[in-house]
Amino acid sequence: MFSPRLKSELWIKAHIRRCQTLDLEALLRHRGDVDAGGILLKINGFDRGSQLLEPTMAMDGGRAWMRSTGPQPVDDRHVEEMIEKRLARDRDLWVLEIEDPHGRHQLDEPIL
């Protein structure tokens, strides 16, 4: 049995509000398809480096996040190049950037 999927726009809006409660700046960098656009989440740690996360399915069938940039933060230029390449292939993607210099950002789902 499949669980209902939350529309991308609704998830983005809710996550921006969640970031605001943590005093984190959340910037919508690219608006994608309202209903089913994929989501790229850039975590900008400034001097600590950046990460690019995207949703995936966990082994138990639940939602999880995959670090597209690998286990460690990388140079921000590298993340920006990855985002541009993905947008060149899929303009329906949403890109949300979280400015988090102190590592406070959290997601409800696991990061793989």
Side-chain angles (χ1 to χ4, degrees):
M1 180 139 202
F2 295 102
S3 61
R5 185 172 170 190
L6 192 61
K7 291 185 177 188
S8 300
E9 182 179 39
L10 185 57
W11 187 91
I12 291 285
K13 287 179 177 181
H15 201 71
I16 289 171
R17 284 201 177 120
R18 181 177 188 184
C19 289
Q20 290 170 342
T21 65
L22 296 170
D23 289 327
L24 296 173
E25 189 71 32
L27 311 163
L28 181 59
R29 297 266 314 271
H30 188 267
R31 184 177 176 78
D33 181 75
V34 173
D35 294 324
I39 297 172
L40 295 178
L41 188 58
K42 177 184 174 184
I43 310 298
N44 187 343
F46 297 96
D47 292 341
R48 295 185 6 226
S50 295
Q51 297 181 59
L52 187 63
L53 306 174
E54 58 187 297
T56 189
M57 189 175 292
M59 295 296 287
D60 64 2
R63 185 177 174 135
W65 291 86
M66 177 179 64
R67 284 185 178 101
S68 300
T69 49
Q72 300 299 320
V74 298
D75 184 71
D76 193 63
R77 285 188 309 252
H78 179 67
V79 175
E80 288 299 319
E81 289 171 5
M82 291 177 72
I83 291 170
E84 290 305 314
K85 285 180 185 177
R86 293 289 303 278
L87 284 172
R89 290 190 315 250
D90 185 359
R91 297 300 296 173
D92 288 337
L93 284 173
W94 291 80
V95 179
L96 182 63
E97 181 171 348
I98 311 297
E99 294 181 351
D100 186 16
H102 304 294
R104 296 181 298 137
H105 181 261
Q106 298 175 0
L107 291 162
D108 288 335
E109 301 87 2
I111 300 175
L112 308 176

